[in-house]
Amino acid sequence: MKTYKYIVVLLPLIILTGCWSKYEVQNMNYTTAVGIDYAEGQYTIYAQLLDFSTVAKLEGQQKAEQPPVWVGKGQGSSFTEAANDLYSTSQQRLNWGQVSAILFSERLMKERKVGEVLELINRYREIRYLAWLFSTRDPLDEILMATSFFRLSPKASILHNPEQNYRQHSILAPIRLQQFVLDSNEKAKSSYIPELSIRKDQWKENQKPRELLRFSGIQVYDQEHYYARMDIQDLSGLPWLNKHTIRLPLDLFSDKKLIAVLVAEKPKYDITPSVKYDKAYFDISVSVKAGVNELHADVTEQELTQMAQKEIERQIRKTFQTALEKNIDIYNLGESLFRKNPHEWKRIASGKQHFVLNEDSLQAISVNMDIVYPGRYKFKKEILAVP
């Protein structure tokens, strides 16, 4: 009986193999960002490695040196071959499970290689779809080498954590890989990738210029079709028709003189499509609340409200016109027609891009501005006409 008990106890120990395939944390390098380029039939992959011991910062502790950033470069005729080229000099196992940012070069998109890259990412289970997706026209390695303030880890930069900047200055909404894949597969919807660039002349550390990341525009890419690039200066109307907008500045001028600076919060909008004579038309209504940050002229609240409404309408129309010249449906107006009347959309949609817009598609724009916080100072009193 005792022999039987010993067998029962020892048998599982013999059968169980243990953690032979387990990898120790200290024996792996963790890729935190990936940049992908394509030129002359060759893929080039840039992998950013960070020392995770530098990511956490103890309270009151100031780092004496900038945390190290390693960027590796691999090349090959395919994405996998380029990754294998990286492995040849990786001193330890590369782990891709911590990738939080993916960067496409403009050349990669123009060569229509995004689909091949996405297919590989979909097959490779380590890289997650929650990574942020960006594009750039700058050298990929320079983007990946950019750091943040106060010797913080690059994890504190726009590349890895764009939401913090967006909450304060909602000009261009960051996009996750998952959302881009969903949008690019919609026939009636155009998708864009935010563009990053390096600015060298705005901030200094101890009188030395620092290279920092910024949003500089978008690259519009949809269903293996590259449309065009739009500069950040041409996208002033985009935040007003974006459900993710949180906080947006609005400068009001009169005869090139600054009158006031408002801060709008969480605008709401509605698009009403219609079809007449085989052409699509759209009416837009925007509702927004704002506070007054600066007031440089003696104006009434009604006058300031009217100025703000006209400026918002101007920005929306300007961005629409700039995008239309490049055959871009920047506000996804066609999607609203597809959702409400798919039969009409299918009848008038033209080309592989299912474009439904024309010069007169954007009709009435109604803006309702409510100034809820005038600041510490009162507006000029309105003079009521006596009947």
Side-chain angles (χ1 to χ4, degrees), residues 85-144:
D85 186 31
L86 270 175
Y87 297 152
S88 66
T89 53
S90 176
Q91 305 303 298
Q92 292 177 307
R93 178 184 174 89
L94 277 182
N95 183 292
W96 302 86
Q98 300 299 320
V99 172
S100 59
I102 298 175
L103 194 63
F104 291 159
S105 71
E106 186 179 52
R107 285 182 298 198
L108 179 82
M109 291 180 288
K110 287 185 175 181
E111 292 289 340
R112 297 186 296 178
K113 295 296 181 179
V114 172
E116 293 184 14
V117 174
L118 293 179
E119 182 181 3
L120 178 81
I121 292 175
N122 185 39
R123 294 177 182 273
Y124 197 68
R125 60 184 180 273
E126 282 193 27
I127 299 179
R128 294 171 290 182
Y129 267 110
L130 292 179
W132 297 105
L133 185 62
F134 301 99
S135 61
T136 186
R137 297 186 297 167
D138 290 351
L140 291 170
D141 55 343
E142 292 185 11
I143 297 291
L144 296 177

Side-chain angles (χ1 to χ4, degrees), residues 69-258:
V69 181
W70 285 73
V71 176
K73 176 182 177 181
Q75 291 182 303
S77 57
S78 68
F79 186 93
T80 303
E81 187 177 337
N84 288 332
D85 186 31
L86 270 175
Y87 297 152
S88 66
T89 53
S90 176
Q91 305 303 298
Q92 292 177 307
R93 178 184 174 89
L94 277 182
N95 183 292
W96 302 86
Q98 300 299 320
V99 172
S100 59
I102 298 175
L103 194 63
F104 291 159
S105 71
E106 186 179 52
R107 285 182 298 198
L108 179 82
M109 291 180 288
K110 287 185 175 181
E111 292 289 340
R112 297 186 296 178
K113 295 296 181 179
V114 172
E116 293 184 14
V117 174
L118 293 179
E119 182 181 3
L120 178 81
I121 292 175
N122 185 39
R123 294 177 182 273
Y124 197 68
R125 60 184 180 273
E126 282 193 27
I127 299 179
R128 294 171 290 182
Y129 267 110
L130 292 179
W132 297 105
L133 185 62
F134 301 99
S135 61
T136 186
R137 297 186 297 167
D138 290 351
L140 291 170
D141 55 343
E142 292 185 11
I143 297 291
L144 296 177
M145 289 295 293
T147 56
S148 187
F149 292 147
F150 304 114
R151 302 183 183 92
L152 294 177
S153 165
K155 275 286 188 178
S157 69
I158 292 176
L159 180 65
H160 294 281
N161 191 13
E163 289 179 304
Q164 296 301 320
N165 176 274
Y166 184 71
R167 288 191 180 100
Q168 187 176 38
H169 196 232
S170 305
I171 300 298
L172 188 56
I175 301 292
R176 292 192 185 272
L177 176 62
Q178 179 189 40
Q179 189 61 51
F180 172 75
V181 172
L182 291 174
D183 292 345
S184 61
N185 287 328
E186 289 284 349
K187 291 183 179 180
K189 195 171 186 178
S190 61
S191 53
Y192 72 82
I193 304 177
E195 180 188 270
L196 289 179
S197 63
I198 294 178
R199 184 165 180 178
K200 305 178 181 180
D201 60 351
Q202 193 163 34
W203 291 87
K204 291 183 178 181
E205 181 186 17
N206 297 328
Q207 297 301 319
K208 295 181 180 179
R210 287 295 305 272
E211 298 181 353
L212 294 170
L213 298 177
R214 65 163 183 169
F215 288 111
S216 54
I218 62 174
Q219 300 279 355
V220 184
Y221 193 96
D222 179 26
Q223 292 185 339
E224 298 302 313
H225 179 78
Y226 176 80
Y227 287 83
R229 175 188 181 271
M230 292 188 67
D231 191 81
I232 192 73
Q233 302 298 327
D234 297 325
L235 298 172
S236 59
L238 186 59
W240 303 112
L241 274 68
N242 190 319
K243 63 181 180 180
H244 299 294
T245 299
I246 300 173
R247 186 177 184 274
L248 184 66
L250 180 64
D251 300 335
L252 301 179
F253 290 86
S254 178
D255 297 327
K256 297 183 179 180
K257 180 181 179 181
L258 182 64

Side-chain angles (χ1 to χ4, degrees), residues 5-17:
K5 291 181 178 179
Y6 288 136
I7 294 175
V8 172
V9 173
L10 295 175
L11 186 60
L13 298 177
I14 298 173
I15 296 175
L16 293 176
T17 59

